[in-house]
Amino acid sequence: MQDIVAYLEQNRGRFEQELFELLAISSVSADPSHASDVQRAAQWVASHLKALGFNTQLIPTEGHPLVYAESEPVPGAPTVLVYGHYDVQPPDPLDEWVTPPFEPAVRDGYVYARGATDDKGQMFTHFKSAEAWLRVRSGLPVQLKFLIEGEEEVGSTSIEKYLKEHARSLACDVIVISDSSQFAPGLPAITYGLRGIAYFELRLQGPKRDLHSGTFGGAVMNPLNALTRILNGLIDSKGRIQIPGFYDDVVPLAADERAMWASLPFDEEAYKRELGVTALAGEEGYSTLERSWARPTFDINGIWGGYQGKGSKTVLPARAGAKFSFRLVPNQDPKKIAQQLRRYIAELCPEGVRWELIEMHGGYPYVAPLQSPYFKAASRAIEAGFGRQPVMIREGGSIPIVTLFRQQLGVDSLLLGWGQHDDNTHSPNERFSLEDFHRGILSSAHLWLELSRCSS
Ligand code: BES
Ligand code: ZN
């Protein structure tokens, strides 16, 4: 690997500059006013892969474009599908960014920008490792197929359809995704499980106009009161979700898995300090790692209604609403959860307000078997890149396509996260350590070789 390692060393600066170019594109998939920026990011990704020598397609969809690229087949070696996403979360609140979200800036060895770690920076490591093999050697030791989407942060709708229609051309032996985290600084990880998600918007309509809360309060149902009553009914003070049937399909945590996680070096005090909270919260009877990796949860993501301006206003608002989501664990099904929720809201919602529940998106939970030879190959590659053997973890976030890959292609994913928990994903001042970026590239370069030794 010396020649490849030398190439990576020599090109560190250029790799960073190229990443910064991609980070400067404001590809916010949730916001229609950024549609052309999302398009630009897709084009950037496609031209980049094309210039590396991949057979590349920019695929329009009903939503944001997909990019597909493949290298030559390598007889006798496995085919590896690399998935990533070029879309990013909205950058708000803007005034909390030290430097603007789409003007990448380097401070203390980190690049700060929306998408730095989630997922542009992590995804790009696989582009650069492929480049090294293609430029230094005559070709890659495995066939690579890149499938890059622009709707991951909004529920992966278009790629799901594409996957169903193109399962044959996407055929592969293993999938590689870098869109997760290391366990801690200096302690890399392979993630073998993710939570699923069911995301909703609830809209309540009370009287046909805003009312004086003195004249009408007490006689007319206030939609904000109704909303908080409903939301409050969804979870109890012990962190148990109250929707009838919600836990029916939950696979209980296995004792050996709990023991494995309990042995990880997790410092609860440091965790609290880093987040600025005085106490941790969650479902009774479970540790913090268990709560965030393997137990279902309910979070309100946004709530509105009534008067939010300066001073006070005695108003009984006509409307109220909330966006909220459940994280799901094996074997919960987001569609089933939606039905159960709908029935339960019908029970909880007081008379005098009308309600509408919008099912925004859903994703299935995922747990991979740990025995595959691909895991061992990935572990060796990470050790080569990070100087330390990775630990096996689950994480609480969701990458909906992972379960769909298994269903449609029959293939499991290697979730190799190069990020850190304090990278501020989905928050202001998102960042990615440039050291981790380069270690990720090095691991990825080793990964293609290690995977080539697994017979296909
Ligand atoms: N990179 C994350 C997923 C992730 C987060 C994996 C934390 C492991 C740990 C991904 O980009 C993401 O944020 N996904 C969304 C999916 C949702 C919008 C369907 C998520 O988890 O909220
Ligand atoms: Zn994300």
Side-chain angles (χ1 to χ4, degrees), residues 85 89 118 152-153 426:
H85 63 96
Q89 287 272 329
D118 183 8
E152 196 274 346
E153 301 291 6
H426 298 203

Side-chain angles (χ1 to χ4, degrees), residues 24 48 120 122 136 139 171 179 182 224 232 331 384 389 415 442:
H48 202 91
K120 289 171 173 171
Q122 294 202 60
V136 174
D179 190 21
Q182 302 180 53
L224 261 177
N232 205 35
N331 289 325
Q389 228 188 334
L415 302 164
L442 181 58

Side-chain angles (χ1 to χ4, degrees), residues 381-386 418 438-448:
I382 290 175
E383 192 170 352
F386 285 80
W418 316 140
H438 293 293
R439 290 183 193 119
I441 298 173
L442 181 58
S443 303
S444 174
H446 280 275
L447 182 65
W448 310 142

Side-chain angles (χ1 to χ4, degrees), residues 134-252:
L134 291 164
R135 296 287 178 266
V136 174
R137 307 282 181 92
S138 49
L140 282 150
V142 291
Q143 183 184 25
L144 288 186
K145 296 180 173 179
F146 281 99
L147 183 61
I148 311 294
E149 71 158 314
E151 297 177 9
E152 196 274 346
E153 301 291 6
V154 291
S156 297
T157 314
S158 301
I159 197 178
E160 183 174 347
K161 187 156 170 258
Y162 182 83
L163 180 58
K164 286 182 180 148
E165 289 164 5
H166 295 82
R168 284 194 43 213
S169 56
L170 296 172
C172 58
D173 299 287
V174 63
I175 296 165
V176 170
I177 303 177
S178 292
D179 190 21
S180 50
S181 298
Q182 302 180 53
F183 183 72
L187 186 49
I190 298 180
T191 297
Y192 65 92
L194 292 168
R195 290 194 290 190
I197 189 166
Y199 199 113
F200 303 93
E201 180 172 329
L202 178 62
R203 295 182 186 167
L204 299 187
Q205 171 78 48
K208 64 183 179 194
R209 60 176 184 276
D210 283 6
L211 302 174
H212 190 297
S213 70
T215 315
F216 297 96
V220 174
M221 188 66 202
N222 177 328
L224 261 177
N225 290 26
L227 179 67
T228 55
R229 198 191 293 179
I230 294 169
L231 294 176
N232 205 35
L234 292 178
I235 190 160
D236 73 5
S237 61
K238 295 190 166 120
R240 292 282 296 185
I241 289 147
Q242 300 297 298
I243 302 171
F246 184 85
Y247 289 93
D248 285 359
D249 299 326
V250 171
V251 178

Side-chain angles (χ1 to χ4, degrees), residues 374-455:
Y374 300 120
F375 269 90
K376 297 201 180 71
S379 179
R380 285 191 296 271
I382 290 175
E383 192 170 352
F386 285 80
R388 186 147 174 203
Q389 228 188 334
V391 288
M392 298 291 169
I393 63 171
R394 279 163 68 173
E395 286 191 88
S398 311
I399 307 177
I401 198 68
V402 172
T403 302
L404 300 171
F405 279 144
R406 179 194 278 157
Q407 287 167 359
Q408 299 293 323
L409 307 179
V411 179
D412 280 310
S413 295
L414 290 170
L415 302 164
L416 314 179
W418 316 140
Q420 295 290 353
H421 290 286
D422 56 3
D423 279 346
N424 299 324
T425 52
H426 298 203
S427 311
N429 305 305
E430 180 176 345
R431 64 183 190 175
F432 189 28
S433 149
L434 290 170
E435 275 317 311
D436 284 339
F437 173 59
H438 293 293
R439 290 183 193 119
I441 298 173
L442 181 58
S443 303
S444 174
H446 280 275
L447 182 65
W448 310 142
L449 181 63
E450 292 290 348
L451 290 176
S452 76
R453 295 172 174 158
C454 302
S455 51

